[in-house]
Amino acid sequence: MIPLSRLGFGGAPIGNLYAEVSDSDAVGALEAAWDAGVRYFDTAPHYGLGLSERRIGSFLASRPRDSFVVSTKVGRVLEPCSSGGDDLANGFAVPARARRRWDFSADGVRRSLESSLDRLGLDRVDVAYVHDPDSHFEQAVSEAIPALVSLRAEGLVGAVGIGMNQWEMPARFVRETDVDVVLLAGRYTVLEQTGASLLELCASRGVSVVAAGVFNSGLLARPEVGSTYDYQAAPAALVERARRIASVCTRHGVTLPQAAVQFPFRHPAVASVLVGVRTAAEMRANASALSASVPDALWEDLRAEGLL
């Protein structure tokens, strides 16, 4: 079992997700995470065409290797290109000096990991996730997972995982393959628990769960019209539900973000919660939310009102 800190650092924002993050802000966010006791750092080649991996690797270079856990992902191979322009069409404010190519083959997995290790400046990663194989299940299950299992045996990977924004396909991976950990984004939050059956399955098989997207991409941080849910404009019905949850939280002296960060730990399968941040202030706010006192009566009232 990989030892994960309860709070993990999600590396997409410092890969310039949607907007540029300065080097100083990125380092500040990472320093604030370290100061808050965060020792689990998650990244991927997809995040800023490798920028997130380079920033996290540079930050961790001065820390003892056994003092932190790093996860990265496979499934998108980066290939150099000279088309110019930026990568905003894919969500990242970086120069388009590379293109992504879906590749869940055994060879692609090895090449992707080798490139990630180079950007991270590491000789191994603690967790390697198969990343978003929604349309590539057959190749992912027949080639990518076995390749990672082999890399695990070689010591280049500590644990094999699957990382997705849905729960149905990860459940298939848990049933059919030798995965150690599932990264589940957005499907087990105080707003939505559609992934509950996956967590039950993981608990029964000794598979750890990392809960990501605990703010449902923004709605649980700011429950108002114009907020986002799954990276799109939140439907009015969900905004109203989030507001009702926030109202119950207020009655108990709890903020909605505090409830959002702490809720996933109500399930014993959840080992860590990942939060994506771009500044030190955001990191400190999330760490404070995790340490806040949340009474059991809050969860009981949410259930009583049909909100859980």
Side-chain angles (χ1 to χ4, degrees):
M1 190 69 68
I2 298 295
L4 302 175
S5 56
R6 282 172 59 82
L7 193 62
F9 185 97
I14 65 165
N16 289 6
L17 180 64
Y18 302 132
E20 186 174 351
V21 176
S22 69
D23 288 340
S24 60
D25 279 348
V27 171
L30 287 161
E31 287 178 341
W34 191 270
D35 291 344
V38 173
R39 295 296 182 268
Y40 172 36
F41 299 84
D42 176 70
T43 184
H46 174 51
Y47 302 158
L49 297 172
L51 176 62
S52 174
E53 289 181 319
R54 289 190 293 271
R55 281 175 161 171
I56 287 175
S58 177
F59 174 77
L60 294 174
S62 61
R63 273 77 181 175
R65 181 60 185 92
D66 61 357
S67 67
F68 59 83
V69 169
V70 170
S71 59
T72 192
K73 305 179 181 75
V74 299
R76 293 173 175 91
V77 174
L78 302 184
E79 299 177 335
C81 71
S82 56
S83 60
D86 58 44
D87 191 51
L88 279 171
N90 295 298
F92 294 91
V94 296
R97 298 194 181 103
R99 66 170 64 90
R100 301 167 183 81
R101 180 173 58 81
W102 291 107
D103 191 344
F104 294 90
S105 69
D107 180 64
V109 164
R110 283 186 171 270
R111 287 190 291 109
S112 178
L113 182 63
E114 288 170 0
S115 296
S116 289
L117 290 174
D118 183 59
R119 288 187 290 267
L120 287 163
L122 298 174
D123 61 1
R124 59 183 170 85
V125 294
D126 302 285
V127 184
Y129 295 106
V130 176
H131 197 190
D132 296 337
D134 302 73
S135 300
H136 306 270
F137 175 79
E138 294 302 331
Q139 188 176 43
V141 77
S142 65
E143 295 192 50
I145 292 292
L148 288 179
V149 169
S150 294
L151 289 164
R152 185 178 61 192
E154 295 171 26
L156 296 177
V157 167
V160 175
I162 177 75
M164 301 187 74
N165 295 289
Q166 57 153 294
W167 66 268
E168 297 92 339
M169 192 175 289
R172 293 188 64 185
F173 278 94
V174 172
R175 292 189 188 99
E176 300 175 27
T177 73
D178 187 21
V179 296
D180 305 297
V181 58
V182 171
L183 193 164
L184 180 66
R187 306 286 75 85
Y188 193 74
T189 72
V190 73
L191 180 70
E192 174 188 339
Q193 300 93 49
T194 54
S197 62
L198 170 62
L199 269 63
E200 290 298 315
L201 175 64
C202 289
S204 71
R205 304 217 173 187
V207 174
S208 298
V209 174
V210 174
V214 295
F215 299 115
N216 284 115
S217 87
L219 181 56
L220 290 178
R222 293 175 302 279
E224 57 195 35
V225 175
S227 290
T228 54
Y229 167 82
D230 279 0
Y231 308 101
Q232 299 180 18
L238 285 181
V239 174
E240 177 58 26
R241 183 178 180 86
R243 284 174 170 170
R244 290 179 61 199
I245 294 170
S247 178
V248 176
C249 289
T250 299
R251 296 205 308 261
H252 289 273
V254 174
T255 68
L256 182 57
Q258 289 169 347
V261 169
Q262 295 194 33
F263 171 76
F265 290 114
R266 303 290 295 175
H267 198 288
V270 175
S272 183
V273 163
L274 274 184
V275 292
V277 300
R278 58 183 64 232
T279 66
E282 290 179 2
M283 187 67 245
R284 286 192 287 267
N286 283 304
S288 176
L290 182 62
S291 63
S293 176
V294 175
D296 288 341
L298 166 62
W299 313 117
E300 294 166 5
D301 282 359
L302 287 172
R303 288 192 182 92
E305 297 194 22
L307 294 170
L308 277 182

